[in-house]
Amino acid sequence: MQLFYFGMGDLILASQIYNDYYEIFKSKGFNIMKGDTLLKPEYPFNIAYNALLCGKYLFCNSPYTDPVILDGCKKRGISVVNIKQGYAKCSVGVVNENALITSDAGIYKAAVNVNFDVLLIESGHIDLNGYNYGFMG
């Protein structure tokens, strides 16, 4: 929830962890970018980096997605698919670059609309202490 991986070694770190983790990731060969969004504990201000990159599509709640991610998508020719689910990455199990598993009906519909193979499973049954249900991703 505090970083976003573009693939090909490109990593965006949330601004509040950038200084602490820059050298660690850099020493592992990552190209590090600093995100613009300062995360806050409450929703929707904690979802800026919780976007799902799958193939040539980014599924995210775009008004709350970090601008560095959105700009990177534009530069890479990645289409942004706006969804209501803020925890996009947490709500999906990726099968391959055009196939997903999710319990979120909105993600299911958006992914099918861009010709993904999607398995919609029943919501719930994933435990996360303190919450009504957990996340898949």
Side-chain angles (χ1 to χ4, degrees):
M1 298 237 329
Q2 296 184 3
L3 57 85
F4 178 82
Y5 183 59
F6 256 122
M8 305 296 289
D10 292 340
L11 187 64
I12 299 172
L13 300 178
S15 56
Q16 61 261 55
I17 68 165
Y18 183 83
N19 291 335
D20 294 333
Y21 290 94
Y22 177 87
E23 287 300 328
I24 294 168
F25 285 113
K26 190 71 170 171
S27 71
K28 304 290 184 193
F30 288 96
N31 176 40
I32 310 301
M33 294 167 272
K34 185 176 184 179
D36 286 343
T37 305
L38 181 63
L39 295 172
K40 298 178 184 176
E42 64 280 343
Y43 183 87
F45 305 106
N46 63 353
I47 64 168
Y49 304 93
N50 201 315
L52 172 68
L53 179 62
C54 194
K56 288 291 187 181
Y57 293 92
L58 180 80
F59 297 87
C60 65
N61 189 325
S62 59
Y64 298 101
T65 300
D66 187 83
V68 176
I69 296 171
L70 297 174
D71 185 53
C73 286
K74 187 176 180 180
K75 289 177 181 174
R76 291 169 172 83
I78 296 168
S79 298
V80 175
V81 179
N82 187 46
I83 56 174
K84 289 183 181 179
Q85 174 58 263
Y87 300 110
K89 180 68 175 158
C90 292
S91 300
V92 170
V94 175
V95 177
N96 63 37
E97 67 179 29
N98 67 346
L100 309 172
I101 301 170
T102 187
S103 61
D104 185 281
I107 293 174
Y108 171 83
K109 208 180 265 188
V112 166
N113 284 342
V114 292
N115 298 316
F116 271 60
D117 292 324
V118 188
L119 174 62
L120 181 64
I121 63 171
E122 183 180 345
S123 184
H125 311 291
I126 302 172
D127 294 330
L128 181 61
N129 289 338
Y131 296 90
N132 293 334
Y133 52 89
F135 299 115
M136 295 180 65

